[in-house]
Amino acid sequence: MSKSFIFSSESVGEGHPDKVCDTISDAILDACLAVDKHSRVACETFVKSNQVVVGGEITIPKLAGKPLSSAINVEGIIRDAIRGIGYVNDDDVFHADQVFINNFLTIQSPDIAQGVDAKKAKGKKTEEQGAGDQGIMFGYACDETPELMPSPIMFAHRLGRELTKIRKAGRLAKWLRPDAKSQVAVEYVDGKPTRIVNVVISTQHAEGVDHATIEKFCIEKVIKKVLPKKMLTKDTEYLINPTGKFVVGGPQGDSGLTGRKIIVDTYGGWGRHGGGAFSGKDPSKVDRSAAYMGRWVAKNVVAAGLAPVCEIQFAYAIGHPEPLSLHIDTFGTGDDARILEAVKKVFSFKPADIVKQLKLLRPIYSASTNYGHFGKEDAELPWEALNKVTALKRAFK
């Protein structure tokens, strides 16, 4: 990549149809973990118009064969999740109290369970907990922002969070509605972010509000409030609701599906992605837990000053307790071989150890769902902790 370029990343609000689905799936996951920390959950959600469909596999060991409904109220969880997003207006086709819910959740396949559970099974090579699936995972961090994330995606997330904060406060712009998207283009010179080239915000709104009001509000009360002033110049272009009107939105305007915003959830297209989605999956699924592990490792490497940028990649096979490969890339900014050796001394990448190190058997996942799973220090997500900096420095020396 050239050292001078423009790079864009997008974020979406929690009322976006795909994020509605992620929110519901993670709410169901958290409810299961609250009942039994060893729950196995793979929950998918689909929404369109006034319909919600949930499906997948859930096993709560404590139930011992009893139906899922004896432990969690799936319908109640779904309606509460939609209500929390803000689909409660009288003119909402997709309304928390009026959607029709179709529940197709079943128990997890015993064939998958025997490969993942920490016990010896026929054909299984070890008694250790294995990975819940095969796949490759990446973790990334850089020193561009206080959150140690790439600038474009963090700026886009800031816009979305501020829009939601204002909407839920219900005072400044009562015409705001839940569906929204944001996008920020940043110019890099000599590899460093220098200015914001353009900002795009598309926000759903009530009928009757004029475009000029929306445009002025988004620029003055959102963009200029949360983006770095020194990076907004006289040449920065603002594109607010570019189509001119955005009244019909959310699941009424578009269908949604769990796991369709994997780039929004991670690094905005900057760091590489292994392809696995996060929401609705318990931590035995390495698509989720190992991606969190990767972020934790990369962030601590950068915070320790071993390199200003770090990407880590590793791979798993279903039922196998050890990673199949482990790779560090600092893009020429650090000693990759020495960093990798230090990482191996400080961290364990076995699936069971990932869960233990990050304390993932807790109902913490709803806090991760919206505005990126990474870079949210206020949410106290364990993979954002800088608690291995000293150990890494020691191991590196």
Side-chain angles (χ1 to χ4, degrees):
M1 181 182 286
S2 169
K3 288 190 175 183
S4 297
F5 54 90
I6 296 172
F7 195 91
S8 298
S9 293
E10 72 156 349
S11 180
V12 298
E14 54 201 69
H16 184 283
D18 294 332
K19 275 296 153 192
V20 171
C21 295
D22 287 346
T23 299
I24 291 171
S25 294
D26 274 338
I28 291 173
L29 168 62
D30 276 350
C32 294
L33 291 173
V35 173
D36 186 340
K37 67 180 182 179
H38 298 295
S39 296
R40 292 287 166 78
V41 180
C43 180
E44 308 285 350
T45 305
F46 168 80
V47 295
K48 176 57 188 164
S49 299
N50 64 344
Q51 301 284 329
V52 177
V53 180
V54 290
E57 301 77 45
I58 294 179
T59 297
I60 301 179
K62 279 187 178 180
L63 294 187
K66 295 179 182 178
L68 183 63
S69 59
S70 67
I72 66 169
N73 178 2
V74 172
E75 179 173 329
I77 293 167
I78 291 170
R79 295 193 188 280
D80 285 347
I82 297 170
R83 190 174 295 109
I85 292 169
Y87 283 110
V88 292
N89 298 288
D90 292 340
D91 56 351
D92 286 337
V93 170
F94 187 80
H95 191 289
D97 298 322
Q98 298 168 13
V99 293
F100 293 92
I101 296 171
N102 304 274
N103 183 351
F104 298 104
L105 294 167
T106 64
I107 64 171
Q108 185 188 52
S109 163
D111 294 341
I112 295 176
Q114 74 171 358
V116 177
D117 291 343
K119 62 183 180 181
K120 193 69 177 287
K122 185 178 180 180
K124 188 181 177 188
K125 293 184 177 181
T126 76
E127 295 183 5
E128 294 186 78
Q129 178 181 329
D133 201 354
Q134 72 174 54
I136 58 172
M137 296 82 202
F138 289 91
Y140 185 85
C142 62
D143 64 359
E144 289 183 16
T145 64
E147 301 90 351
L148 302 184
M149 288 282 287
S151 298
I153 187 64
M154 285 312 300
F155 294 166
H157 286 328
R158 289 179 195 175
L159 296 172
R161 295 182 78 174
E162 187 64 21
L163 271 173
T164 297
K165 179 181 176 181
I166 293 171
R167 173 175 62 82
K168 290 187 174 181
R171 296 187 299 272
L172 192 57
K174 295 183 178 180
W175 43 264
L176 281 172
R177 293 295 183 264
D179 197 358
K181 299 180 79 172
S182 57
Q183 185 171 291
V184 179
V186 176
E187 182 179 27
Y188 287 73
V189 177
D190 293 329
K192 301 293 183 182
T194 57
R195 71 181 182 99
I196 294 172
V197 177
N198 54 63
V199 181
V200 184
I201 291 180
S202 294
T203 180
Q204 187 186 11
H205 58 86
E207 189 74 70
V209 60
D210 63 276
H211 185 268
T213 298
I214 298 170
E215 185 175 50
K216 182 178 180 181
F217 163 79
C218 288
I219 294 173
E220 299 299 329
K221 302 298 182 181
V222 180
I223 296 172
K224 291 184 177 180
K225 180 179 178 181
V226 302
L227 297 187
K229 292 180 174 57
K230 65 180 181 180
M231 295 185 69
L232 295 171
T233 72
K234 61 181 179 62
D235 296 319
T236 300
E237 184 179 15
Y238 302 108
L239 300 167
I240 312 300
N241 282 15
T243 63
K245 183 179 181 181
F246 187 8
V247 172
V248 177
Q252 179 187 0
D254 195 6
S255 61
L257 192 65
T258 299
R260 270 204 312 213
K261 286 293 174 281
I262 59 176
I263 300 304
V264 172
D265 286 346
T266 52
Y267 307 103
W270 189 274
R272 283 175 281 195
H273 198 294
F278 299 157
S279 291
K281 298 178 180 179
D282 74 81
S284 73
K285 281 76 171 174
V286 285
D287 276 345
R288 186 170 208 165
S289 57
Y292 292 168
M293 181 70 180
R295 166 62 178 169
W296 185 41
V297 173
K299 186 176 183 182
N300 276 269
V301 166
V302 173
L306 305 188
V309 56
C310 178
E311 184 177 76
I312 184 169
Q313 189 238 35
F314 37 105
Y316 293 95
I318 188 168
H320 192 69
E322 296 277 0
L324 304 180
S325 65
L326 193 60
H327 174 66
I328 291 279
D329 191 350
T330 62
F331 305 93
T333 66
D335 188 331
D336 294 355
R338 285 184 65 200
I339 293 173
L340 179 58
E341 288 307 308
V343 164
K344 288 179 178 179
K345 292 176 183 177
V346 174
F347 301 96
S348 173
F349 293 86
K350 293 182 178 182
D353 290 343
I354 290 175
V355 171
K356 183 178 180 180
Q357 290 168 107
L358 291 174
K359 300 178 181 179
L360 295 179
L361 297 178
R362 299 177 290 151
I364 59 174
Y365 296 96
S366 290
S368 73
T369 312
N370 293 294
Y371 312 113
H373 290 241
F374 309 132
K376 291 193 293 190
E377 296 169 338
D378 59 326
E380 297 183 359
L381 301 174
W383 49 90
E384 292 299 314
L386 296 176
N387 51 0
K388 293 297 182 181
V389 169
T390 301
L392 277 169
K393 287 181 177 178
R394 189 182 301 118
F396 187 75
K397 289 179 181 179

